[in-house]
Amino acid sequence: MTTLVGFPDRPVRVNADLDAPLSRWLWLVKWILVIPHYVVLFFLWIAFAVVSVIAFFAILFTAHYPRALFDFNLGVLRWSWRVAYYSYGALATDRYPPFSLRAEPDYPARLDIAYPERLSRGLVLVKWWLLAVPHLIVVGFFLGGYHLGWWSGGLVALLTVIAGVTMAFTEKYPKDLFDLILGLNRWVLRVAAYVALMTDSYPPFRLDLGGTEPADAEESS
C-alpha cells in the first residue's frame, strides 16, 4: 500500500482516465454485461459487512485495523469502483473490469487508501453513524439508492445517462461533465472509506473535480 507522504489529511485517492474513443451505443447494454459482477459483488458486500464488524471490535480493543481485513475491504471497494466506472457510475471506459480484489494499475479507474498504523478507539464508536450523518445525506442525494454495493440512481446516474446520450449523438464524452462525475464519485468513495472505519480523517465537504486526485496533482507539479 502506498503511503500518502506529505498528505496525511488525504488518505483516500481516487484517480481515473477518460478513455477515448468510446462506443456510441455499448453503454445501452452495459447493465447486462455487468450482471456477473453484480452477482459476485452481492456476496462480496455481505463479506464486507461482516469484516467491518470484526474490524470494529479489533479497533475498539487494539486501536488497529487488521491488515488482512483492511486489504480485503479495500479490494471490495476497488472492485466496486471499477464496475461503477465501466457502467452507470461514469461510463468512462469500455474496458471490461477485471474480477479482482487487487490493485489494477493498468485499469483506467483506480482507488488507493493509505493503511492506518493506528486508529482512534473512541471515534470508532461514533464516526460510522453519528459523525458521518451530514455526509450520508449528501451522498444519498448523489446516489439516490444502494444496489449491490454501489448506486442505482440519483445525481450521479442522471449525469452519467446524459453523458451516454451525448456520446450517442456526438461520439464525445463532455470533459466538463466527466470532471463533475469524477468529483461526485470521489466524494462518495471518501465517505465510504470513513464509514467503513478505514480512516480517521474526516472527509472534506469539497467537490474535487477531474480524474486526477488533487494530492497526486500537487505531487507531480
Side-chain angles (χ1 to χ4, degrees), residues 32 40 42 52 55 63 86 90 97 102 108 116 118 129 132-133 151 172 196 206 211 216:
I32 298 175
V40 178
F42 175 80
S52 296
Y86 171 80
R102 300 187 305 271
R118 186 176 180 85
W129 64 281
V133 165
W151 44 86
K172 293 182 180 180
R206 185 177 66 239
D216 292 345

Side-chain angles (χ1 to χ4, degrees), residues 150-166:
W150 219 239
W151 44 86
S152 58
L155 181 60
V156 171
L158 174 62
L159 294 176
T160 300
V161 170
I162 292 173
V165 172
T166 303

Side-chain angles (χ1 to χ4, degrees), residues 42-201:
F42 175 80
F43 294 102
L44 285 177
W45 275 89
I46 293 175
F48 183 98
V50 173
V51 165
S52 296
V53 172
I54 297 172
F56 170 87
F57 287 104
I59 297 167
L60 183 62
F61 290 108
T62 71
H64 294 286
Y65 199 127
R67 186 59 185 262
L69 302 186
F70 182 92
D71 288 345
F72 174 80
N73 275 2
L74 173 56
V76 175
L77 288 175
R78 281 172 168 160
W79 191 325
S80 300
W81 169 224
R82 290 191 291 257
V83 172
Y85 192 75
Y86 171 80
S87 58
Y88 304 99
L91 289 175
T93 183
D94 288 340
R95 292 177 55 187
Y96 198 70
F99 287 80
S100 171
L101 292 168
R102 300 187 305 271
E104 299 289 344
D106 294 333
Y107 197 76
R110 299 170 298 280
L111 169 66
D112 289 297
I113 303 175
Y115 177 72
E117 295 300 330
R118 186 176 180 85
L119 291 165
S120 169
R121 302 197 317 191
L123 279 179
V124 76
L125 295 170
V126 294
K127 67 182 180 182
W128 57 276
W129 64 281
L130 181 60
L131 299 182
V133 165
H135 276 290
L136 293 175
I137 293 172
V138 175
V139 167
F141 173 69
F142 290 169
L143 306 187
Y146 189 80
H147 181 62
L148 296 180
W150 219 239
W151 44 86
S152 58
L155 181 60
V156 171
L158 174 62
L159 294 176
T160 300
V161 170
I162 292 173
V165 172
T166 303
M167 284 190 295
F169 288 98
T170 69
E171 300 185 45
K172 293 182 180 180
Y173 197 122
K175 182 62 167 59
D176 290 343
L177 189 54
F178 171 79
D179 290 344
L180 175 57
I181 290 172
L182 259 292
L184 298 173
N185 278 294
R186 184 171 287 115
W187 192 320
V188 170
L189 287 163
R190 288 171 176 169
V191 174
Y194 185 77
V195 172
L197 312 177
M198 302 174 79
T199 177
D200 281 344
S201 296

